[in-house]
Amino acid sequence: MYSMRFYLFILLFCGSLFAQTDYPKDYFRSPLDIPMQLSGNFGELRPNHFHAGFDLKTMQKEGLNVYAVADGYVSRIKISTFGNGKAIYITHSNGYTSVYGHLQRAVGSIEDFIKKTHYKEHSFEIEMYLKPGQLVVKKGDIIALSGNTGGSEGPHLHFEFRDNRTENIINPMLFGFDKMLKDTKKPILSSIYVYPLNEATTVNQSKRPLLLNLMLQKDGTYLSDKVITNGKIGFGINTSDYDDVSFNQNGVYKVQAYYNGLVNFGYQFDTYSFDEMRYVNAFIDYSRYKKTQQRIQKLFMKTPYKLSIIKTDETNGVLSVVPNLASLYRIEVFDFFGNTTIVSIPIKYELQPSIISQEPVLSKYLVKANKDSNFAKENISVFFPAGTFYEDFYLNFDVKNDTLFLHDDTVPAHSNFTISIEDNKHTEAQREKLFIGLIERIKTSYVPSFQKDAVFTAKVKTLGKYALVLDTVAPKISLAKPIEGKWLTDKKTLQLTISDSLSGIKSYNGYLNGNWILFEYDNKTKKITHDFSDGIVAEGANELKVVVIDNVGNSTTFETHFFRSQKK
């Protein structure tokens, strides 16, 4: 009787931890008219962020109709070369906004509005906030065609929901989208690691994180190796999920851990804010991810951080193993459909000599996460404000040959820190072409830099190698085939390739017969494309001019002429 009451208490307690809002289940339709298949789900772990919605497959092609999921009005339009590319936001009267990203283009009055704004602002990248009544849509209206714009790695539709009041993003499954999928498969638990969390702790004779073997039991659960330890430990898991129709590896919905039957640590992907996105780097074993591309989700917080999806007890998931007590740790992994994978981990207190020692500390510079830190050598200084990092760590810092060696990218920064470099080698004219660059193995990345006299400063979020870089090389502009003096009557578009090998392109502008024209830029192919249907091209002779400027002011101008007839 006691055990049954205890079990009911646990169920009620867990339910209260992850209490859900009552979201409307039948209000919204699918944004596509094909069976729903996911190539990415809500909360999936991505570089520097949690995924904000669904990635819906579009049969590996562009141009599918994208529909308004409910009545509303277009409240925002953003056209960007990165991120969601071409994106439309529709605000609905029930308190939510739907978002549609990576679009090929909008259609009808929405596309007309976008095109007019491009020409009004003389820019491909635009962002517009609209008022109710400007662009009203009805449920089922075609608003756009699916595409592959922005940071997309293949044709698909990014789709998400946001709360109108808080701007928080919400799992589309909560709006009844689970009815459009079938999932009878349990989540996959690929690996479990146990972490010694202080210098005195040894786990199975190791001072380093240790991979545990898993054994499948007759009841379908898993049993891990016994953990023999003498102090504070934590666990981490590598887990994923598959549904019955998408054939894609996706993220799990919920994880709940128990220590000796009591709720210890858990998280559930229902809703969170954009301000929390970067906490994904604290949520995972970031160092292991950078070294192996394996995302181990930590079931503890050595130093607490404010990620709202996490619910934990006062230990923050850190287990203090003590003598004379047989302990059991249990992990339950869920998908949204309730399919569950369970693993039990027996734990025993015992003093053992360590065979595997801690990783050696190669630096004498200890950075305290909750305090300001400043480092300087020769002409370079670095300032870390309090809160830049999630945990204390030993920093490798050095300056050699005017190059800053600032640890490496195995330690994540949550917010900006400042690098300052004084230049004492270049002329005043040359300084106009200098920038602070992040120097990686095969490339140098431009970092927006501020100059005051001979000192350059930049705010960055990545540890690594930095130096002042001189860029005197102008951007390149090219055509696949020459068009000078040729008739282009049978062509629908005009396309050029633009590139810059060092500081990167800051701006580009195209002109036909002296009039600004819209060129759409694709960062994946480095091509700019003008559609003759914009109506700027003249009958007969046309003069084309394209000007490209990089981030330090180097400029290239390309000019040619061609002929075109508008008569059919």
Side-chain angles (χ1 to χ4, degrees), residues 252-291:
V252 301
Y253 172 60
K254 174 183 174 183
V255 174
Q256 186 64 62
Y258 304 85
Y259 186 44
N260 291 329
L262 297 176
V263 173
N264 175 257
F265 190 95
Y267 51 87
Q268 183 169 307
F269 287 102
D270 285 333
T271 180
Y272 44 84
S273 73
F274 282 95
D275 291 341
E276 298 178 273
M277 286 291 205
R278 199 170 176 87
Y279 281 122
V280 69
N281 294 334
F283 183 74
I284 64 173
D285 182 341
Y286 186 84
S287 177
R288 185 175 297 275
Y289 163 64
K290 296 303 290 187
K291 294 173 183 176

CSV table of all heavy atoms in Angstrom, one decimal, residues 252-291:
chain,number,residue,atom,x,y,z
A,252,VAL,N,14.4,14.1,-28.7
A,252,VAL,CA,13.3,13.5,-27.8
A,252,VAL,C,12.5,14.7,-27.2
A,252,VAL,O,12.9,15.8,-27.3
A,252,VAL,CB,14.0,12.6,-26.8
A,252,VAL,CG1,14.8,11.5,-27.4
A,252,VAL,CG2,14.9,13.4,-25.8
A,253,TYR,N,11.4,14.3,-26.7
A,253,TYR,CA,10.5,15.3,-26.1
A,253,TYR,C,10.7,15.6,-24.6
A,253,TYR,O,10.7,16.7,-24.2
A,253,TYR,CB,9.0,14.8,-26.3
A,253,TYR,CG,8.0,15.6,-25.6
A,253,TYR,CD1,7.8,17.0,-25.9
A,253,TYR,CD2,7.1,15.1,-24.6
A,253,TYR,CE1,6.9,17.8,-25.2
A,253,TYR,CE2,6.2,15.8,-24.0
A,253,TYR,CZ,6.0,17.2,-24.3
A,253,TYR,OH,5.1,17.9,-23.6
A,254,LYS,N,11.0,14.5,-23.9
A,254,LYS,CA,11.1,14.6,-22.4
A,254,LYS,C,12.1,13.6,-21.8
A,254,LYS,O,12.2,12.5,-22.3
A,254,LYS,CB,9.7,14.4,-21.8
A,254,LYS,CG,9.6,14.4,-20.3
A,254,LYS,CD,8.2,14.1,-19.8
A,254,LYS,CE,8.1,13.9,-18.3
A,254,LYS,NZ,6.7,13.5,-17.9
A,255,VAL,N,12.8,14.1,-20.8
A,255,VAL,CA,13.7,13.2,-20.1
A,255,VAL,C,13.4,13.4,-18.6
A,255,VAL,O,13.3,14.6,-18.1
A,255,VAL,CB,15.2,13.4,-20.4
A,255,VAL,CG1,16.1,12.6,-19.5
A,255,VAL,CG2,15.5,13.1,-21.9
A,256,GLN,N,13.3,12.3,-17.8
A,256,GLN,CA,13.1,12.4,-16.4
A,256,GLN,C,14.0,11.5,-15.7
A,256,GLN,O,14.1,10.3,-16.0
A,256,GLN,CB,11.6,12.1,-16.0
A,256,GLN,CG,11.3,12.4,-14.5
A,256,GLN,CD,11.5,13.8,-14.2
A,256,GLN,OE1,10.7,14.7,-14.7
A,256,GLN,NE2,12.4,14.1,-13.3
A,257,ALA,N,14.8,12.0,-14.7
A,257,ALA,CA,15.7,11.1,-13.9
A,257,ALA,C,15.3,11.1,-12.5
A,257,ALA,O,14.8,12.1,-11.9
A,257,ALA,CB,17.1,11.7,-14.1
A,258,TYR,N,15.5,9.9,-11.9
A,258,TYR,CA,15.1,9.7,-10.5
A,258,TYR,C,16.4,9.1,-9.7
A,258,TYR,O,17.1,8.3,-10.3
A,258,TYR,CB,14.0,8.6,-10.3
A,258,TYR,CG,12.8,9.0,-11.1
A,258,TYR,CD1,12.6,8.7,-12.4
A,258,TYR,CD2,11.7,9.6,-10.5
A,258,TYR,CE1,11.5,9.0,-13.1
A,258,TYR,CE2,10.5,9.9,-11.2
A,258,TYR,CZ,10.4,9.6,-12.5
A,258,TYR,OH,9.3,9.9,-13.2
A,259,TYR,N,16.5,9.5,-8.5
A,259,TYR,CA,17.6,9.0,-7.7
A,259,TYR,C,17.0,8.4,-6.4
A,259,TYR,O,16.3,9.1,-5.7
A,259,TYR,CB,18.6,10.1,-7.3
A,259,TYR,CG,19.8,9.6,-6.5
A,259,TYR,CD1,20.5,8.5,-6.9
A,259,TYR,CD2,20.3,10.3,-5.4
A,259,TYR,CE1,21.6,8.0,-6.3
A,259,TYR,CE2,21.4,9.9,-4.8
A,259,TYR,CZ,22.1,8.8,-5.2
A,259,TYR,OH,23.2,8.3,-4.5
A,260,ASN,N,17.1,7.1,-6.3
A,260,ASN,CA,16.5,6.3,-5.2
A,260,ASN,C,15.0,6.6,-5.2
A,260,ASN,O,14.4,6.8,-4.1
A,260,ASN,CB,17.1,6.6,-3.9
A,260,ASN,CG,18.5,6.1,-3.8
A,260,ASN,OD1,18.8,5.1,-4.4
A,260,ASN,ND2,19.4,6.8,-3.1
A,261,GLY,N,14.4,6.6,-6.4
A,261,GLY,CA,12.9,6.8,-6.5
A,261,GLY,C,12.4,8.2,-6.4
A,261,GLY,O,11.2,8.5,-6.6
A,262,LEU,N,13.3,9.2,-6.1
A,262,LEU,CA,12.8,10.6,-6.0
A,262,LEU,C,13.2,11.4,-7.3
A,262,LEU,O,14.3,11.1,-7.9
A,262,LEU,CB,13.5,11.2,-4.8
A,262,LEU,CG,13.1,10.7,-3.4
A,262,LEU,CD1,13.9,11.4,-2.3
A,262,LEU,CD2,11.6,10.8,-3.2
A,263,VAL,N,12.4,12.3,-7.7
A,263,VAL,CA,12.6,13.1,-8.9
A,263,VAL,C,13.9,13.9,-8.7
A,263,VAL,O,14.1,14.5,-7.6
A,263,VAL,CB,11.5,14.1,-9.1
A,263,VAL,CG1,11.8,15.0,-10.2
A,263,VAL,CG2,10.2,13.3,-9.5
A,264,ASN,N,14.8,13.8,-9.6
A,264,ASN,CA,16.1,14.4,-9.5
A,264,ASN,C,16.4,15.5,-10.5
A,264,ASN,O,16.9,16.6,-10.2
A,264,ASN,CB,17.2,13.3,-9.6
A,264,ASN,CG,18.6,13.8,-9.6
A,264,ASN,OD1,19.3,13.9,-10.6
A,264,ASN,ND2,19.1,14.2,-8.4
A,265,PHE,N,16.1,15.2,-11.8
A,265,PHE,CA,16.4,16.2,-12.8
A,265,PHE,C,15.6,15.8,-14.1
A,265,PHE,O,15.4,14.6,-14.3
A,265,PHE,CB,17.9,16.1,-13.2
A,265,PHE,CG,18.4,17.1,-14.1
A,265,PHE,CD1,19.0,18.3,-13.6
A,265,PHE,CD2,18.3,17.0,-15.5
A,265,PHE,CE1,19.5,19.3,-14.4
A,265,PHE,CE2,18.8,18.0,-16.3
A,265,PHE,CZ,19.4,19.1,-15.8
A,266,GLY,N,15.1,16.8,-14.8
A,266,GLY,CA,14.3,16.5,-16.0
A,266,GLY,C,14.1,17.7,-16.8
A,266,GLY,O,14.4,18.9,-16.4
A,267,TYR,N,13.7,17.5,-18.1
A,267,TYR,CA,13.4,18.6,-19.0
A,267,TYR,C,12.3,18.1,-20.0
A,267,TYR,O,12.2,16.9,-20.3
A,267,TYR,CB,14.6,19.1,-19.7
A,267,TYR,CG,15.5,18.1,-20.4
A,267,TYR,CD1,15.2,17.7,-21.7
A,267,TYR,CD2,16.6,17.6,-19.7
A,267,TYR,CE1,16.0,16.7,-22.3
A,267,TYR,CE2,17.4,16.6,-20.3
A,267,TYR,CZ,17.1,16.2,-21.6
A,267,TYR,OH,17.9,15.3,-22.3
A,268,GLN,N,11.6,19.1,-20.5
A,268,GLN,CA,10.5,18.8,-21.4
A,268,GLN,C,10.4,19.9,-22.4
A,268,GLN,O,10.3,21.1,-22.1
A,268,GLN,CB,9.2,18.6,-20.6
A,268,GLN,CG,8.0,18.2,-21.5
A,268,GLN,CD,6.8,17.8,-20.6
A,268,GLN,OE1,7.0,16.9,-19.7
A,268,GLN,NE2,5.7,18.4,-20.8
A,269,PHE,N,10.3,19.6,-23.7
A,269,PHE,CA,10.4,20.6,-24.8
A,269,PHE,C,8.9,21.0,-25.1
A,269,PHE,O,8.4,20.6,-26.2
A,269,PHE,CB,11.1,20.1,-26.0
A,269,PHE,CG,12.6,20.0,-25.8
A,269,PHE,CD1,13.2,18.8,-25.5
A,269,PHE,CD2,13.4,21.2,-25.8
A,269,PHE,CE1,14.6,18.8,-25.3
A,269,PHE,CE2,14.7,21.2,-25.6
A,269,PHE,CZ,15.4,19.9,-25.4
A,270,ASP,N,8.4,21.9,-24.3
A,270,ASP,CA,7.0,22.5,-24.6
A,270,ASP,C,7.2,23.9,-25.2
A,270,ASP,O,6.6,24.2,-26.2
A,270,ASP,CB,6.2,22.5,-23.3
A,270,ASP,CG,5.7,21.2,-23.0
A,270,ASP,OD1,5.5,20.3,-23.9
A,270,ASP,OD2,5.4,20.9,-21.8
A,271,THR,N,7.9,24.8,-24.4
A,271,THR,CA,8.0,26.2,-24.9
A,271,THR,C,9.2,26.8,-24.2
A,271,THR,O,9.6,26.4,-23.1
A,271,THR,CB,6.7,27.0,-24.5
A,271,THR,OG1,6.9,28.3,-24.9
A,271,THR,CG2,6.4,26.9,-23.0
A,272,TYR,N,9.8,27.8,-24.8
A,272,TYR,CA,10.9,28.5,-24.2
A,272,TYR,C,11.1,29.8,-25.0
A,272,TYR,O,10.5,30.0,-26.1
A,272,TYR,CB,12.2,27.7,-24.2
A,272,TYR,CG,12.5,26.9,-25.5
A,272,TYR,CD1,13.2,27.5,-26.5
A,272,TYR,CD2,12.2,25.6,-25.6
A,272,TYR,CE1,13.5,26.8,-27.7
A,272,TYR,CE2,12.5,24.8,-26.7
A,272,TYR,CZ,13.1,25.5,-27.8
A,272,TYR,OH,13.4,24.7,-28.9
A,273,SER,N,12.0,30.7,-24.5
A,273,SER,CA,12.2,32.0,-25.2
A,273,SER,C,13.4,31.9,-26.0
A,273,SER,O,14.3,31.1,-25.9
A,273,SER,CB,12.3,33.1,-24.1
A,273,SER,OG,13.5,33.0,-23.5
A,274,PHE,N,13.5,32.9,-27.0
A,274,PHE,CA,14.7,33.0,-27.8
A,274,PHE,C,15.9,33.4,-27.0
A,274,PHE,O,17.0,33.1,-27.3
A,274,PHE,CB,14.5,34.0,-28.9
A,274,PHE,CG,13.6,33.5,-30.0
A,274,PHE,CD1,12.3,33.7,-30.1
A,274,PHE,CD2,14.2,32.7,-31.0
A,274,PHE,CE1,11.5,33.2,-31.1
A,274,PHE,CE2,13.5,32.2,-32.1
A,274,PHE,CZ,12.1,32.4,-32.1
A,275,ASP,N,15.7,34.1,-25.9
A,275,ASP,CA,16.8,34.5,-25.0
A,275,ASP,C,17.5,33.2,-24.4
A,275,ASP,O,18.7,33.3,-23.9
A,275,ASP,CB,16.4,35.4,-23.9
A,275,ASP,CG,15.9,36.8,-24.4
A,275,ASP,OD1,16.3,37.1,-25.5
A,275,ASP,OD2,15.2,37.5,-23.7
A,276,GLU,N,16.8,32.1,-24.4
A,276,GLU,CA,17.4,30.9,-23.7
A,276,GLU,C,18.1,30.0,-24.7
A,276,GLU,O,18.8,29.0,-24.3
A,276,GLU,CB,16.3,30.1,-23.1
A,276,GLU,CG,15.5,30.7,-22.0
A,276,GLU,CD,14.4,29.9,-21.5
A,276,GLU,OE1,13.3,29.9,-22.1
A,276,GLU,OE2,14.6,29.1,-20.6
A,277,MET,N,18.1,30.3,-26.0
A,277,MET,CA,18.6,29.5,-27.1
A,277,MET,C,20.0,29.0,-26.8
A,277,MET,O,20.4,27.9,-27.0
A,277,MET,CB,18.4,30.1,-28.4
A,277,MET,CG,17.0,30.2,-29.0
A,277,MET,SD,16.4,28.6,-29.4
A,277,MET,CE,15.2,29.0,-30.6
A,278,ARG,N,20.9,30.0,-26.5
A,278,ARG,CA,22.3,29.7,-26.4
A,278,ARG,C,22.7,28.8,-25.3
A,278,ARG,O,23.8,28.2,-25.2
A,278,ARG,CB,23.1,31.0,-26.4
A,278,ARG,CG,24.6,30.8,-26.8
A,278,ARG,CD,25.3,32.1,-27.0
A,278,ARG,NE,26.7,31.9,-27.3
A,278,ARG,CZ,27.2,31.6,-28.5
A,278,ARG,NH1,26.5,31.6,-29.6
A,278,ARG,NH2,28.5,31.4,-28.6
A,279,TYR,N,21.7,28.6,-24.3
A,279,TYR,CA,22.0,27.7,-23.2
A,279,TYR,C,22.1,26.2,-23.7
A,279,TYR,O,22.5,25.4,-22.9
A,279,TYR,CB,20.9,27.8,-22.2
A,279,TYR,CG,21.0,29.0,-21.3
A,279,TYR,CD1,20.0,29.9,-21.2
A,279,TYR,CD2,22.1,29.2,-20.5
A,279,TYR,CE1,20.0,31.0,-20.3
A,279,TYR,CE2,22.2,30.3,-19.6
A,279,TYR,CZ,21.2,31.2,-19.6
A,279,TYR,OH,21.3,32.3,-18.7
A,280,VAL,N,21.9,26.0,-24.9
A,280,VAL,CA,22.1,24.6,-25.4
A,280,VAL,C,23.6,24.2,-25.2
A,280,VAL,O,23.9,23.1,-25.0
A,280,VAL,CB,21.7,24.5,-26.9
A,280,VAL,CG1,22.7,25.3,-27.8
A,280,VAL,CG2,21.7,23.1,-27.4
A,281,ASN,N,24.5,25.2,-25.2
A,281,ASN,CA,25.9,25.0,-25.0
A,281,ASN,C,26.3,24.6,-23.6
A,281,ASN,O,27.3,23.9,-23.4
A,281,ASN,CB,26.7,26.2,-25.5
A,281,ASN,CG,26.6,26.4,-27.0
A,281,ASN,OD1,26.4,25.5,-27.7
A,281,ASN,ND2,26.8,27.6,-27.4
A,282,ALA,N,25.4,25.0,-22.6
A,282,ALA,CA,25.6,24.5,-21.3
A,282,ALA,C,24.8,23.2,-21.0
A,282,ALA,O,25.2,22.4,-20.2
A,282,ALA,CB,25.1,25.5,-20.3
A,283,PHE,N,23.8,23.0,-21.8
A,283,PHE,CA,22.9,21.8,-21.7
A,283,PHE,C,23.7,20.6,-22.1
A,283,PHE,O,23.4,19.5,-21.6
A,283,PHE,CB,21.7,22.1,-22.6
A,283,PHE,CG,20.6,21.0,-22.6
A,283,PHE,CD1,19.8,20.9,-21.5
A,283,PHE,CD2,20.5,20.2,-23.7
A,283,PHE,CE1,18.8,19.9,-21.5
A,283,PHE,CE2,19.5,19.2,-23.7
A,283,PHE,CZ,18.6,19.1,-22.6
A,284,ILE,N,24.6,20.7,-23.1
A,284,ILE,CA,25.3,19.5,-23.6
A,284,ILE,C,26.7,19.6,-23.1
A,284,ILE,O,27.2,20.6,-22.5
A,284,ILE,CB,25.4,19.5,-25.1
A,284,ILE,CG1,26.1,20.7,-25.7
A,284,ILE,CG2,24.0,19.4,-25.7
A,284,ILE,CD1,26.3,20.7,-27.2
A,285,ASP,N,27.4,18.5,-23.2
A,285,ASP,CA,28.9,18.4,-22.9
A,285,ASP,C,29.6,19.0,-24.1
A,285,ASP,O,29.9,18.4,-25.1
A,285,ASP,CB,29.3,16.9,-22.8
A,285,ASP,CG,30.8,16.8,-22.4
A,285,ASP,OD1,31.5,17.7,-22.7
A,285,ASP,OD2,31.2,15.7,-21.9
A,286,TYR,N,29.8,20.3,-24.1
A,286,TYR,CA,30.2,21.1,-25.2
A,286,TYR,C,31.6,20.7,-25.7
A,286,TYR,O,31.8,20.6,-26.9
A,286,TYR,CB,30.2,22.6,-24.9
A,286,TYR,CG,30.5,23.5,-26.0
A,286,TYR,CD1,29.4,23.9,-26.9
A,286,TYR,CD2,31.7,24.0,-26.3
A,286,TYR,CE1,29.7,24.7,-28.0
A,286,TYR,CE2,32.0,24.9,-27.3
A,286,TYR,CZ,31.0,25.2,-28.2
A,286,TYR,OH,31.2,26.1,-29.2
A,287,SER,N,32.5,20.5,-24.8
A,287,SER,CA,33.8,20.1,-25.1
A,287,SER,C,33.8,18.8,-26.0
A,287,SER,O,34.5,18.7,-27.0
A,287,SER,CB,34.7,19.9,-23.9
A,287,SER,OG,36.0,19.5,-24.2
A,288,ARG,N,33.0,17.8,-25.5
A,288,ARG,CA,33.0,16.5,-26.2
A,288,ARG,C,32.3,16.8,-27.6
A,288,ARG,O,32.7,16.1,-28.6
A,288,ARG,CB,32.2,15.5,-25.4
A,288,ARG,CG,32.1,14.1,-26.1
A,288,ARG,CD,31.4,13.1,-25.2
A,288,ARG,NE,32.1,12.9,-23.9
A,288,ARG,CZ,33.1,12.1,-23.7
A,288,ARG,NH1,33.6,11.4,-24.7
A,288,ARG,NH2,33.7,12.0,-22.5
A,289,TYR,N,31.3,17.6,-27.7
A,289,TYR,CA,30.7,17.9,-29.0
A,289,TYR,C,31.7,18.5,-30.0
A,289,TYR,O,31.7,18.1,-31.1
A,289,TYR,CB,29.5,18.9,-28.7
A,289,TYR,CG,29.0,19.5,-30.0
A,289,TYR,CD1,28.5,18.8,-31.0
A,289,TYR,CD2,29.1,20.9,-30.1
A,289,TYR,CE1,28.0,19.4,-32.2
A,289,TYR,CE2,28.7,21.5,-31.3
A,289,TYR,CZ,28.2,20.8,-32.3
A,289,TYR,OH,27.7,21.4,-33.5
A,290,LYS,N,32.5,19.5,-29.5
A,290,LYS,CA,33.4,20.1,-30.4
A,290,LYS,C,34.5,19.1,-30.9
A,290,LYS,O,35.1,19.2,-32.0
A,290,LYS,CB,34.1,21.3,-29.8
A,290,LYS,CG,33.1,22.4,-29.4
A,290,LYS,CD,32.4,22.9,-30.6
A,290,LYS,CE,33.2,23.7,-31.6
A,290,LYS,NZ,32.4,24.3,-32.7
A,291,LYS,N,34.8,18.1,-30.1
A,291,LYS,CA,35.9,17.2,-30.4
A,291,LYS,C,35.3,16.0,-31.2
A,291,LYS,O,36.1,15.4,-32.1
A,291,LYS,CB,36.5,16.6,-29.1
A,291,LYS,CG,37.3,17.7,-28.4
A,291,LYS,CD,37.8,17.2,-27.0
A,291,LYS,CE,38.5,18.2,-26.2
A,291,LYS,NZ,38.9,17.7,-24.9
